[in-house]
Amino acid sequence: MNAKPGSSGKAKMITLLIGSLVVALAAGCSATAAPQVAAGMILASHHASLDQAFPLDGQRVNGELHVFVTEPESKLKFVDFFVEDSAGEQVRIRRDDTAPFTPMPDGEPLRLDDLGEGRHVIIGELHDLDGGTTVARAEFEVAATTDQAPPTTPTGEIWRPRPGTSWQWQLSGKLDLSVEADVYDIDLELTSAETIAQLHAAGRRVICYFSAGSFESVRSDAALFPASVKGKAMDGWPEQWLDIRAIDALAPVMLGRLDLARAKGCDAVEPDNVDGYANDTGFNLRAADQLAYNRWLANAAHERGLAIALKNDLDQVRDLVDYFDFAINEECFSWNECELLTPFIQAGKAVFGAEYELSTGSFCSKAIALNMDFILKDWNLGAARTSCR
């Protein structure tokens, strides 16, 4: 799904007029203004451009949106647009084959109030001159304009786990919902809203994992990263470090991921790899750059009613403890650095941790003495888990 470097990234803008079920198609932006995106994606923006666009699929939105469908590289023959009803039936509402490349800067945004609250689906079938078809589909939820908080979080209140909260961390394999833990930390993209609702129904809180400091080519929004922010390969992982100084360039992806976490009902997020400044990234990152980026992430999460974890980044704990709601750490007992996390405990905020190589007998008593909640995990972060308490 990655866009080729230097590709045009042309886009189409759709206006959905609910009363008459008419969709108008227009070109969105010039090639220089649009971000690099993969063909067959549906993007949305609160402005009539792609500058601040985010993937519409999985979002919980309200107000008005401009909606864009990205083109395949070959020339378009026509585009069919469909809406999907609650029974899953698709109804074609317009075919555009007259002037798909003609700009219409006065195109109206999608008025979400007209759609009504709840789940909606927009589908675009893009047909090219060679007979190929690309399907773009976006399922989203229209939220009430007065309630932007996640369904499980009262308006204005953010969940903050305290020391003594048990946790499970599973990022691979079929999710085991039977683990006796207060909190589940799971993959944001790979976990459905229905699964998160199941965990909530069982009394669990949910932390949603994504990487905020590295590029992963397998992610559905990978094509939204400009080449300029991709740095050196991470040691031991099929990922590349990001230039976290370029917050404006990263914002469409990271804010889209936070919006997705809110839409799916996550209670909190775990943005990983937020210590690039201490690694060989290929960029001249300073500690101040990392602090600025991490604080920006924390503020953006809180604006969406989400709690946020500080992942590792031990040398900046004292500067960030007031911005983050809890901490998640890997192997601080292996490296004899867990004392650096005590400001979170002193602030009444949980420290969740995992060890991979040590035996529970060598670190659990120390974790309990520090009032930290540690588990023993395999490197693949499957379902297997041994908890210290």
Side-chain angles (χ1 to χ4, degrees), residues 171-233:
L171 300 182
S172 69
K174 183 179 180 181
L175 188 61
D176 183 355
L177 301 180
S178 67
V179 175
E180 291 296 327
D182 300 324
V183 174
Y184 274 63
D185 189 339
I186 55 183
D187 189 275
L188 168 61
E189 181 176 357
L190 301 181
T191 307
S192 68
E194 290 73 21
T195 297
I196 293 173
Q198 281 184 268
L199 288 168
H200 284 153
R204 319 296 189 198
R205 292 287 191 170
V206 178
I207 303 168
C208 293
Y209 169 95
F210 67 92
S211 182
S214 71
F215 169 77
E216 302 166 283
S217 62
V218 297
R219 295 298 182 177
S220 61
D221 56 6
L224 298 180
F225 288 90
S228 60
V229 302
K230 300 175 190 176
K232 287 187 176 181

Side-chain angles (χ1 to χ4, degrees), residues 129-284:
L129 292 174
D130 296 327
T133 300
T134 301
V135 177
R137 183 181 189 277
E139 177 177 333
F140 58 98
E141 178 186 355
V142 175
T145 56
T146 57
D147 180 14
Q148 284 296 296
T152 56
T153 304
T155 302
E157 180 181 331
I158 294 175
W159 169 69
R160 292 184 171 90
R162 299 185 62 79
T165 303
S166 60
W167 80 303
Q168 160 67 326
W169 195 20
Q170 183 178 349
L171 300 182
S172 69
K174 183 179 180 181
L175 188 61
D176 183 355
L177 301 180
S178 67
V179 175
E180 291 296 327
D182 300 324
V183 174
Y184 274 63
D185 189 339
I186 55 183
D187 189 275
L188 168 61
E189 181 176 357
L190 301 181
T191 307
S192 68
E194 290 73 21
T195 297
I196 293 173
Q198 281 184 268
L199 288 168
H200 284 153
R204 319 296 189 198
R205 292 287 191 170
V206 178
I207 303 168
C208 293
Y209 169 95
F210 67 92
S211 182
S214 71
F215 169 77
E216 302 166 283
S217 62
V218 297
R219 295 298 182 177
S220 61
D221 56 6
L224 298 180
F225 288 90
S228 60
V229 302
K230 300 175 190 176
K232 287 187 176 181
M234 296 180 65
D235 186 20
W237 299 97
E239 304 173 33
Q240 292 172 258
W241 288 104
L242 293 174
D243 185 356
I244 50 89
R245 298 170 300 181
I247 292 178
D248 288 345
L250 295 174
V253 180
M254 299 307 161
L255 296 182
R257 291 177 177 183
L258 290 172
D259 287 338
L260 180 60
R262 181 179 63 181
K264 287 188 172 184
C266 307
D267 298 291
V269 290
E270 178 202 345
D272 199 6
N273 302 308
V274 292
D275 54 357
Y277 83 101
N279 292 271
D280 183 13
T281 63
F283 303 109
N284 185 26

Side-chain angles (χ1 to χ4, degrees), residues 52-361:
Q52 300 181 37
F54 53 87
L56 180 58
D57 192 50
Q59 301 297 332
R60 186 167 184 254
V61 291
N62 59 25
E64 294 186 342
L65 287 179
H66 294 271
V67 181
F68 306 87
V69 178
T70 59
E71 302 173 10
E73 289 188 0
S74 57
K75 187 175 181 181
L76 282 180
K77 184 177 181 182
F78 62 87
V79 182
D80 278 333
F81 293 99
F82 300 83
V83 292
E84 185 177 288
D85 63 22
S86 58
E89 295 293 325
Q90 296 179 11
V91 178
R92 193 179 79 179
I93 55 176
R94 186 171 190 263
R95 170 173 290 186
D96 187 305
D97 57 2
T98 55
F101 297 100
T102 301
M104 284 180 58
D106 296 329
E108 292 296 321
L110 175 65
R111 294 183 291 274
L112 299 179
D113 288 345
D114 293 339
L115 288 173
E117 294 178 36
R119 170 188 170 277
H120 298 278
V121 177
I122 294 177
I123 298 169
E125 284 190 0
L126 295 80
H127 301 262
D128 62 38
L129 292 174
D130 296 327
T133 300
T134 301
V135 177
R137 183 181 189 277
E139 177 177 333
F140 58 98
E141 178 186 355
V142 175
T145 56
T146 57
D147 180 14
Q148 284 296 296
T152 56
T153 304
T155 302
E157 180 181 331
I158 294 175
W159 169 69
R160 292 184 171 90
R162 299 185 62 79
T165 303
S166 60
W167 80 303
Q168 160 67 326
W169 195 20
Q170 183 178 349
L171 300 182
S172 69
K174 183 179 180 181
L175 188 61
D176 183 355
L177 301 180
S178 67
V179 175
E180 291 296 327
D182 300 324
V183 174
Y184 274 63
D185 189 339
I186 55 183
D187 189 275
L188 168 61
E189 181 176 357
L190 301 181
T191 307
S192 68
E194 290 73 21
T195 297
I196 293 173
Q198 281 184 268
L199 288 168
H200 284 153
R204 319 296 189 198
R205 292 287 191 170
V206 178
I207 303 168
C208 293
Y209 169 95
F210 67 92
S211 182
S214 71
F215 169 77
E216 302 166 283
S217 62
V218 297
R219 295 298 182 177
S220 61
D221 56 6
L224 298 180
F225 288 90
S228 60
V229 302
K230 300 175 190 176
K232 287 187 176 181
M234 296 180 65
D235 186 20
W237 299 97
E239 304 173 33
Q240 292 172 258
W241 288 104
L242 293 174
D243 185 356
I244 50 89
R245 298 170 300 181
I247 292 178
D248 288 345
L250 295 174
V253 180
M254 299 307 161
L255 296 182
R257 291 177 177 183
L258 290 172
D259 287 338
L260 180 60
R262 181 179 63 181
K264 287 188 172 184
C266 307
D267 298 291
V269 290
E270 178 202 345
D272 199 6
N273 302 308
V274 292
D275 54 357
Y277 83 101
N279 292 271
D280 183 13
T281 63
F283 303 109
N284 185 26
L285 302 182
R286 302 169 303 157
D289 299 321
Q290 195 70 62
L291 288 174
Y293 183 62
N294 292 0
R295 288 167 177 162
W296 174 79
L297 283 171
N299 290 336
H302 291 154
E303 288 170 1
R304 289 157 175 79
L306 297 165
I308 184 169
L310 179 64
K311 178 70 172 292
N312 299 324
D313 195 16
L314 295 178
D315 290 336
Q316 295 188 327
V317 164
R318 292 191 179 278
D319 293 310
L320 294 172
V321 64
D322 291 338
Y323 290 83
F324 287 78
D325 305 293
F326 58 103
I328 294 178
N329 176 264
E330 295 171 287
E331 297 196 289
C332 70
F333 287 105
S334 293
W335 295 95
N336 297 313
E337 54 190 13
C338 293
E339 295 286 344
L340 295 173
L341 289 161
T342 54
F344 276 95
I345 299 297
Q346 293 165 355
K349 300 176 180 182
V351 172
F352 297 129
E355 292 287 339
Y356 304 114
E357 303 292 342
L358 300 179
S359 66
T360 53

